[in-house]
Amino acid sequence: MTVFIVRRLMQSVVILLVMSVIVFLGVFAIGNPVDILISPDADQMERERAIRALGLDLPLWEQYFVFLRNAAVGDLGRSFVFNEPALRLIFERMPATLELAFTAVVLSLVVGIPLGLYAGLKPQTATSKGIMAGSIVGFSLPSFWQGLMFIMVFAVMLGWLPSTGRGQVGSFLGIKSSLFTRDGLAHVILPAINLALGNAALIIRLTRAGVRETLLQDYVKFARAKGLTHRRVVGVHVLKNILIPLVTVVGLEIGGLIAFAVVTESIFAWPGMGKLIIDSINQLDRPVMVAYLMMIVFLFIVINLVVDVLYSVIDPRVRLQDVKG
Amino acid sequence: MSQPTLAVRDLKTHFFTRGGVVKAVDGVSFQIGKGRILGLVGESGSGKSITGFSILGLVDPPGRVVEGEILLKGENLVGQPDERLRAVRGNRIAMIFQDPMMTLNPVLRIDTQMIEAVQAHHDVGADVARARARDALGRVGIPSPEERLNAYPHQFSGGMRQRVAIAIALLNNPEVIIADEPTTALDVTIQGQILYEVQKLCRETGTSLIWITHDLSVVAGLADDICVMYAGKIVESGPIDDVLDRSLHPYTKGLLGSVPSRNKRGSPLAQIPGMTPSLLSLPSGCPFADRCPRVQDDCRAALPPMVEYRPGQAARCIHPHVEGRA
Ligand SMILES: Nc1ncnc2c1ncn2[C@@H]1O[C@H](COP(=O)(O)OP(=O)(O)O)[C@@H](O)[C@H]1O
Ligand SMILES: [Mg+2]
């Protein structure tokens, strides 16, 4: 297992390197920040000084190697706009995004697994059919539209919940999060539900499919033939088997939630990384874009590793080996 | 004669499918005494497994037991609430399945799967249940049972997994074990060992055994009595030697003809022509009529009744292989 993890971390370095090239080229292709950053009234001298100060006078490959050299010591560049280290900007916004994504994942699990179990165990009932129809809706309605509807209904019409921003931040065991205050919770509910809906729909469908399939297995019938209670058959024999696909998908979804919280954060003015990246794209703030994308790549790598390890914990047939490539 | 351990009377289990009613089990009766071994034989699809599941109350929709009685020491199990049946399953009647690769849950350790089987029926601690599990593994010939308890199913071979399943069936000292083709998926040598051991264990403990198989040669050396099933019905039943040596029903004869043996070496194996009829649309007369070499016009008129042609040996046939008759 240790060998496996070390090997995986080494592979990750290669992936990060490859991604950095792609990201660098992609960001370069979006546009020239000079046009936005420097006021049109500036004279030629001023322009050139600014370009040199930002390091934009060097050829692209040289810019890349400067970036790599700095990255090796943990410096991913300074924001053109804020003139602050890009990483610090990202880390400042990260807790808000993680908190939102975490709440959304918990919500989608807490809602998705029981509903999926029910729909899988009693597929013929009207409730099950309603759940499945609902999951299709949750799946297919565009996230931004759902978000706007939430704001209209719960914030504007009913006035139950605030519609924008992050609430008061509390502290618990040294962790700072808005989840620890009432005001914070009230603020996080709508965006978290908005972010969770598609994911919950996916978990419902996955759980239901898993239950349907597992119930047909001989080992479930054998478990019943042993005289186990229905509760134990479902809660242990069925559930433990459907956890295997669930962990994989949920793991990947967490990465997705963090990366694609952009839409939700924009709608609810949630001060997270998503909003930062949108702003940086608008202002062609290259270092922030690059740093953000590299962070996301890194996150995916870590999540995949955790999923693989979890996988081997849940499924005894899986041995973590040095898979080549 | 004392009360049979298990008696099945006119059992009917039907599946209500979109295409119509599938009469998987249609009027099956048999009984089995304490410590006896009953062979239930028939082609695949003849309703053997469904008979077994019916006894345990494990028939899933769209199927259900529509008629008949299942008497365990005189108490009828048909129509009992599920909690009552749950207390019987795995405790007084246990079942072993065909494919040992599929019967154990792949993600649970052997000890978990055995301890839960004990605790489902007895209010004992995990340590007591575990000790009992270890003893049961020892009894079915699994080496170093204490260590093997901590293993997962995939760490066992097919034969060893079937032994584990048998150990689980034995855990609560059931009165009846239903073994549904437990050796079909195994190598011949392992088949022999398992057959021998199950027989020995049942004789020792006085457990009645229903051994389901499609292979007559398997039950030949094992069972006391035999029931031959065809299209959801029992077509011949009786003591094993009588049924094998002096079969009444042409179907039984046909099955015997298709078993390879020494004295028939070199000649092609006999086959029963045709296929099992669809259970959706059985003919009104004898279901075997279309494949029967002895068929006559009156066979198609009405379903033949079970007739006891010799003491203890009955057949559902109006033109059986009986001396002095056509
Ligand atoms: N879920 C089901 N739906 C419809 N028919 C079924 C179902 N399960 C079993 N049957 C029918 O019951 C018949 C007997 O099946 P089974 O008892 O498994 O046969 P076998 O003698 O091979 O064990 C099959 O031929 C099939 O037509
Ligand atoms: Mg079968």
Side-chain angles (χ1 to χ4, degrees), chain A:
Chain A
M1 179 121 136
T2 324
V3 178
F4 169 82
I5 292 176
V6 168
R7 211 190 164 89
R8 267 305 267 288
L9 288 177
M10 276 157 41
Q11 289 170 355
S12 310
V13 174
V14 177
I15 296 174
L16 278 172
L17 267 177
V18 172
M19 281 310 294
S20 70
V21 174
I22 298 175
V23 164
F24 220 78
L25 285 175
V27 164
F28 181 78
I30 295 180
N32 191 346
V34 176
D35 303 338
I36 292 181
L37 290 173
I38 300 170
S39 92
D41 314 333
D43 61 27
Q44 196 58 27
M45 278 263 291
E46 231 176 300
R47 255 180 95 82
E48 269 167 24
R49 197 158 35 98
I51 289 174
R52 219 182 352 265
L54 296 175
L56 294 173
D57 55 334
L58 302 173
L60 185 65
W61 64 269
E62 231 173 291
Q63 289 183 33
Y64 177 68
F65 283 109
V66 171
F67 164 77
L68 268 195
R69 203 176 53 222
N70 292 335
V73 292
D75 171 14
L76 292 185
R78 294 177 87 82
S79 161
F80 293 162
V81 178
F82 299 98
N83 196 24
E84 265 190 62
L87 264 186
R88 190 199 298 165
L89 281 173
I90 288 169
F91 282 132
E92 269 168 16
R93 310 277 196 299
M94 203 185 238
T97 295
L98 290 184
E99 168 184 300
L100 183 61
F102 171 78
T103 314
V105 170
V106 171
L107 264 180
S108 56
L109 287 175
V110 167
V111 171
I113 293 182
L115 289 186
L117 269 180
Y118 181 89
L121 292 173
K122 299 200 158 86
Q124 300 303 339
T125 62
T127 317
S128 295
K129 288 179 178 153
I131 292 171
M132 295 321 287
S135 78
I136 293 180
V137 174
F139 224 53
S140 5
L141 286 183
S143 174
F144 73 87
W145 186 83
Q146 287 175 3
L148 292 176
M149 286 302 121
F150 281 160
I151 292 181
M152 202 168 90
V153 175
F154 295 102
V156 179
M157 284 163 61
L158 298 172
W160 289 351
L161 293 164
S163 66
T164 54
R166 186 178 181 215
Q168 214 180 332
V169 173
S171 162
F172 180 70
L173 296 177
I175 304 169
K176 283 192 171 46
S177 165
S178 76
L179 295 180
F180 301 135
T181 66
R182 268 185 75 95
D183 178 54
L185 278 176
H187 277 84
V188 84
I189 289 177
L190 283 185
I193 292 180
N194 180 226
L195 194 55
L197 266 183
N199 205 23
L202 181 68
I203 290 175
I204 288 176
R205 302 193 76 80
L206 207 65
T207 308
R208 185 190 112 107
V211 170
R212 301 295 308 142
E213 198 192 308
T214 310
L215 281 183
L216 297 177
Q217 301 294 319
D218 271 4
Y219 58 75
V220 170
K221 197 143 202 171
F222 190 64
R224 289 163 67 203
K226 289 194 293 192
L228 303 185
T229 57
H230 185 63
R231 222 194 153 79
R232 172 131 190 131
V233 172
V234 172
V236 176
H237 287 256
V238 173
L239 202 58
K240 196 129 195 239
N241 275 282
I242 60 170
L243 276 185
I244 296 170
L246 269 183
V247 163
T248 319
V249 171
V250 170
L252 293 176
E253 284 292 300
I254 291 178
L257 284 185
I258 294 172
F260 303 119
V262 178
V263 176
T264 300
E265 290 187 1
S266 304
I267 297 173
F268 290 91
W270 190 262
M273 297 191 292
K275 216 168 155 303
L276 176 71
I277 184 69
I278 290 285
D279 293 344
S280 345
I281 291 172
N282 284 333
Q283 294 164 326
L284 292 177
D285 195 346
R286 279 188 192 165
V288 177
M289 283 192 266
V290 171
Y292 172 80
L293 289 173
M294 294 311 291
M295 269 298 308
I296 294 290
V297 172
F298 181 71
L299 251 171
F300 269 89
I301 289 173
V302 171
I303 290 171
N304 272 325
L305 183 62
V306 171
V307 166
D308 280 344
V309 171
L310 266 184
Y311 213 82
S312 76
V313 172
I314 302 175
D315 190 341
R317 290 163 297 187
V318 172
R319 285 271 150 273
L320 294 180
Q321 290 159 352
D322 316 326
V323 186
K324 303 270 161 20

Side-chain angles (χ1 to χ4, degrees), chain B residues 120-178:
Chain B
H121 303 288
H122 301 277
D123 192 11
V124 295
D127 46 344
V128 177
R130 198 186 154 88
R132 207 188 271 189
R134 188 193 51 220
D135 294 345
L137 286 185
R139 268 160 77 197
V140 296
I142 289 183
S144 46
E146 180 65 45
E147 289 151 44
R148 299 307 268 163
L149 272 178
N150 293 328
Y152 284 95
H154 72 274
Q155 293 165 312
F156 290 82
S157 67
M160 280 296 158
R161 283 195 220 189
Q162 198 59 293
R163 282 169 201 263
V164 173
I166 293 167
I168 290 177
L170 289 170
L171 269 177
N172 295 311
N173 295 319
E175 290 145 61
V176 182
I177 291 181
I178 302 169

Side-chain angles (χ1 to χ4, degrees), chain B residues 172-287:
Chain B
N172 295 311
N173 295 319
E175 290 145 61
V176 182
I177 291 181
I178 302 169
D180 188 359
E181 313 211 26
T183 57
T184 305
L186 302 176
D187 290 349
V188 186
T189 46
I190 297 170
Q191 257 185 39
Q193 291 169 14
I194 293 213
L195 221 60
Y196 168 74
E197 270 167 38
V198 171
Q199 188 180 13
K200 192 183 71 163
L201 289 165
C202 285
R203 298 269 189 239
E204 279 170 16
T205 53
T207 304
S208 310
L209 180 64
I210 299 175
W211 192 280
I212 296 176
T213 179
H214 62 264
D215 186 353
L216 267 180
S217 59
V218 168
V219 283
L222 173 78
D224 303 306
D225 302 291
I226 182 171
C227 289
V228 180
M229 258 186 107
Y230 184 78
K233 298 184 175 65
I234 289 182
V235 294
E236 178 159 5
S237 65
I240 184 93
D241 292 337
D242 293 348
V243 173
L244 294 188
D245 297 342
R246 297 183 293 156
S247 325
L248 291 164
H249 201 286
Y251 178 64
T252 315
K253 270 262 193 282
L255 278 183
L256 282 167
S258 54
V259 175
S261 73
R262 286 256 296 282
N263 46 27
K264 287 187 292 189
R265 198 149 63 182
S267 58
L269 281 179
Q271 286 181 15
I272 305 175
M275 293 189 340
T276 12
S278 158
L279 295 174
L280 272 174
S281 55
L282 283 177
S284 58
C286 172

